[in-house]
Amino acid sequence: MSFTAPIQLPGLTLDPQWYRRSVFYEVFVRSFVDSNGDGAGDIQGVISRLDYLQWLGVDVLWLPPFFSSPLRDGGYDVSDFRSILPEFGTLDEFKDLVTKAHERNMRIVIDLPVNHTSDAHEWFQQSREDPDGPYGDYYVWHDTDDKYAHYRIIFVDTEESNWAFDSVRRQFYFHRFFSHQPDLNYENPAVRDAMFDVVRFWLDLGVDGFRLDAVPYLYESEEGNGEGEPPTHEFVKKLRAMVDRDYPGRIMIAEANQWPREVAAFFGTDEEPECHMAFDFPVMPRIFYALRSQQAQELVRVLSETTDVPESAGWGIFLRNHDELTLEMVSEEYRQAMYGWYAYDPRMRANIGIRRRLAPLLDNSRAELELAHALLFSLAGSPFLYYGDEIGMGDNIWLPDRDSSRTPMQWTPDRNAGFSSADPGKLHLPVVQSLVYNFTLVNVESQLAQSRSLLHWVRNVIHVRKGHPAFGLGSITVLETNHESVLAFVRSYAGSATKFGDPAEDILCVFSFSINPVSATIQASEFAGSALYDLFGGAEFPSFDEDGSLTLTLGTQSFYWLHVGTPSVVGGRP
């Protein structure tokens, strides 16, 4: 496979807000490319596909944990923050990955589980064996399991308590996630210093940022619920101050599965900033709800909510990732409807969510895949793609836990989908061989050869998006429509005052979730009389009426991206 990558100037762009205009791509290292034939993906494998990712239009690679780990939770159970699991590679290979990514004007963001470690971590082993030693207070210990009794249990399908008894220390230790992941004790200054040192270690190796995994749970108190406690925000502020001071241009991303106003708190303020970015969890399930209910009201409601965030803050928008499609941010009625539509087989469910990939969720419907991606790339925030979704990869619900959607990337129709040269029985997870999503049918090589494939379509949309700063930097205003299945909003960008800055622009985005063609009238008085041009081909559309109304006809589950005003900046790829 060969790729004609866009020409880039050497090194990285110097834009301090690069993350707001970037397209992120989650690379699950263990499942991406196996370079040495041992059955597991590795860092050298990621390096070998950087040209493909650059060709696709990816700006930032997000790498889930590749640290030393027992791998009881996909690497989120870290046993050593400063070493790489040998099957993934070495620190020198990682530095080579960072260098080669930077040469292609791509950045590297890594996952950092800040709340807990594996119970195999040396800190925990020392803590349990020597309570009075230097690591004795590194974790949250208690003589009974009745403390913080009002805290919710996050993994309700596997854990019955937030406490686990340790037979060596003869005490209970606190854990918000799996019982083999004890929570660190951030009340201990030594723990805070140790985590600062871990952050510095990886920033010194050249990484461009961190996804702070489970960041709301760092501190506990009897008065609160252990989620977003004031000391947690104080710690994040100090971490941000250190990063900004010593490593300008690097970023912190908050992984906080909470309501927008609670998540927005992790941005901090202009005077006391915290994270540069945060994931927008509530939007994601409502996209899937709209696709099946053919109703846009829930999306309209959540997108119309306003949150006061610093001007430089950026949201992270996603359709799928390595975790289940979480339904924590919806009502029970809503949740049951989602289960009925998307997880009718109990094997498709995990915890409070659905463990399926994007294409199987949408029954491999090309119209729905395009509509969902068009939303992803036009909503306020930076889009996060999950490896394989650009080709419509399937999943394997017969695999345990969340491994169903972590199967090897499908590169070619050859043995092991081109992922590995190993004996098929040696792969860490089997490649997908189902009838519809079989790797011989769904793979990068075959879609490269089809100009109308999903892969080429996604790449085209990414590159159109890159030509319009309103998508990354602009505001979003939800518009009134007269059809329950239609969502319409405007992305507006005031322009840059710098000599080579981007021009001001307004882009009208319209989406129909109906399975039938519809006609809808949109109200936008501020654009009365304005002309409209298709962002992809440049074709002129009917203008807004003098009263600011616009009537459009949309096909089955279709969308429009329309430039408002002159046609000078439209017409496909930049």
Side-chain angles (χ1 to χ4, degrees), residues 340-353:
W341 287 324
Y342 294 110
Y344 42 85
D345 188 324
R347 284 186 296 267
M348 299 174 181
R349 306 177 188 181
N351 198 28
I352 307 177

Side-chain angles (χ1 to χ4, degrees), residues 277-324:
M277 296 185 71
F279 287 101
D280 193 342
F281 278 94
V283 166
M284 179 265 299
R286 285 163 175 81
I287 293 175
F288 291 97
Y289 187 90
L291 285 167
R292 285 292 174 269
S293 68
Q294 303 180 59
Q295 305 285 318
Q297 291 96 319
E298 278 290 308
L299 262 178
V300 169
R301 184 181 64 79
V302 75
L303 293 176
S304 298
E305 290 183 8
T306 56
T307 50
D308 295 324
V309 299
E311 187 177 346
S312 61
W315 290 100
I317 310 296
F318 62 100
L319 295 171
R320 293 298 301 112
N321 58 27
H322 61 279
D323 283 330
E324 69 274 13

Side-chain angles (χ1 to χ4, degrees), residues 366-381:
R366 178 65 180 265
E368 290 189 349
L369 285 167
E370 291 186 3
L371 183 60
H373 277 102
L375 261 170
L376 174 71
F377 290 121
S378 59
L379 287 171

